[in-house]
Amino acid sequence: MTFDQLSLFLRIVEKGGLAAAGREMGLSPASVSERLAALERHYGATLLTRTTRALSLTDEGRVLVEGARRLLAEADELEARIRHGADKVSGLVRLTAPEDLGRRCIVPIVGAFLDRHPDVAIDLHLTDGYVDLVGQGIDFAVRQGVLADSSLKVRSLGENRRIVCAAPSYLAARGTPLHPDDLADHDCILMRFGQTVDHEWPFRIDDDVRRVLVRGRRIANDGGLVRQWCREGRGIAFKSLWDVTADIAEGTLVELLADFSAGQTALQIVYPPAAVQPRRVRLLIEAIATALSPYGGRPPPARAGAGGDQADG
């Protein structure tokens, strides 16, 4: 077994196929298949189950993914320290974050980090959907809400309040809801998370948290698009305050039903449970945590010229 074999195995997992991994590494599908078979013979275990449509990791394969990432990270860190010195930071960092939060908060932090470390490269995946960090080779994710995968390690960044909001033009045309039950008479803009549509919004009513069913004609899996529709007066949205703080400050959106706020959700950095992370990954995590944590889960104050359209570009 060599580091090249482990790298190839990880590439197969990340690309979701032998042919795709081979193209990236300059190998024929037959060669990739032979090397995977050799790796499985070495360990005496099936690492991947293959069908005509997909690959999936076996339990042994998932253990190898985590161990291979740890070994390759250690080797990468060692080579960087020897080649460039203990204080030099270089290499690729792969991370993911929600659409709106990523554009507004993470992109500027990443930009400043790249300015400080010119030998580092960033692969940033902005999505409001679920990302398999291990399967896709992601170093870490910035996430909001409850974790679906309890095996991930977590660094808390504080709390994140979600608010109901709408554009003044919508309120002028349709009126302002004064109670959560009034939302039944309004067009709500809904987020889709995978196969689930977020059509039950939590509110604190009479000292209890109650989930109110809402409906609307616009559903999207992109938080940026939900915000855009809301700003255009297309309906009422349920958004992270981090995403719309500039809009609220500028008056392009208005917070609604504040007296019924159901509390806050977690804002956190999560990463696979590998024992070792390259220094570049640790430093970027620290930079993001330092930039976001001081606000205690509240979005940073809106800056002049930092609102709406510029951040969405």
Side-chain angles (χ1 to χ4, degrees):
M1 187 211 43
T2 66
F3 282 164
D4 287 342
Q5 287 175 298
L6 292 179
S7 296
L8 176 60
F9 177 66
L10 292 181
R11 195 65 66 211
I12 293 170
V13 173
E14 291 164 8
K15 292 298 179 180
L18 277 64
R23 284 194 298 272
E24 184 164 298
M25 302 188 73
L27 298 171
S28 68
S31 178
V32 174
S33 182
E34 289 173 4
R35 296 186 188 200
L36 175 60
L39 195 61
E40 291 182 324
R41 286 196 300 273
H42 173 82
Y43 285 110
T46 299
L47 303 174
L48 294 168
T49 56
R50 284 158 274 182
T51 67
T52 55
R53 294 187 176 182
L55 293 178
S56 60
L57 285 166
T58 63
D59 289 342
E60 293 80 5
R62 187 167 291 275
V63 170
L64 182 59
V65 165
E66 295 177 2
R69 288 228 170 89
R70 181 171 63 251
L71 288 172
L72 292 173
E74 291 174 343
D76 185 49
E77 180 84 354
L78 179 61
E79 181 173 350
R81 291 172 65 88
I82 293 173
R83 286 182 178 273
H84 305 294
D87 297 328
K88 191 80 174 222
V89 182
S90 63
L92 176 66
V93 181
R94 304 181 69 193
L95 68 149
T96 181
E99 290 271 1
D100 270 8
L101 179 69
R103 288 193 180 98
R104 292 180 173 278
C105 300
I106 305 304
V107 167
I109 297 169
V110 166
F113 185 83
L114 290 174
D115 289 342
R116 292 195 302 272
H117 303 289
D119 293 320
V120 171
I122 296 292
D123 184 349
L124 174 59
H125 183 197
L126 296 181
T127 177
D128 291 311
Y130 172 76
V131 177
D132 180 358
L133 301 190
V134 173
Q136 297 186 31
I138 305 295
D139 291 304
F140 67 92
V142 181
R143 288 184 176 169
Q144 305 175 95
V146 178
L147 287 182
D149 186 349
S150 61
S151 70
L152 297 175
K153 291 189 175 180
V154 178
R155 176 161 180 174
S156 176
L157 301 178
E159 297 296 323
N160 173 36
R161 189 162 69 93
R162 296 180 73 191
I163 67 168
V164 179
C165 56
S169 60
Y170 176 88
L171 300 176
R174 298 289 302 273
T176 300
L178 302 178
H179 188 278
D181 290 337
D182 296 341
L183 293 173
D185 299 323
H186 287 268
D187 284 329
C188 294
I189 305 170
L190 308 180
M191 272 290 298
R192 177 184 294 280
F193 299 97
Q195 300 301 312
T196 303
V197 176
D198 184 21
H199 55 71
E200 292 184 347
W201 294 354
F203 294 95
R204 184 165 294 280
I205 302 172
D206 298 329
D207 295 327
D208 289 321
V209 175
R210 177 153 65 89
R211 304 191 72 84
V212 173
L213 180 67
V214 297
R215 295 181 176 84
R217 296 181 298 149
R218 287 177 167 82
I219 302 172
N221 65 349
D222 182 333
L225 179 56
V226 169
R227 173 175 166 270
Q228 176 185 322
W229 281 339
C230 192
R231 283 163 49 95
E232 292 173 352
R234 309 295 184 183
I236 296 174
F238 193 40
K239 292 288 293 175
S240 161
L241 185 56
W242 284 87
D243 297 340
V244 296
T245 181
D247 297 313
I248 299 295
E250 294 168 2
T252 53
L253 290 178
V254 177
E255 181 177 0
L256 307 172
L257 304 173
D259 291 340
F260 298 93
S261 174
Q264 301 174 328
T265 58
L267 180 66
Q268 53 212 345
I269 292 173
V270 300
Y271 48 93
V276 176
Q277 290 175 320
R279 185 163 177 255
R280 61 183 178 273
V281 175
R282 298 196 304 271
L283 288 177
L284 182 53
I285 288 176
E286 191 61 39
I288 292 173
T290 299
L292 299 187
S293 292
Y295 298 103
R298 299 184 303 276
R303 302 186 304 276
D309 297 335
Q310 180 182 6
D312 282 343

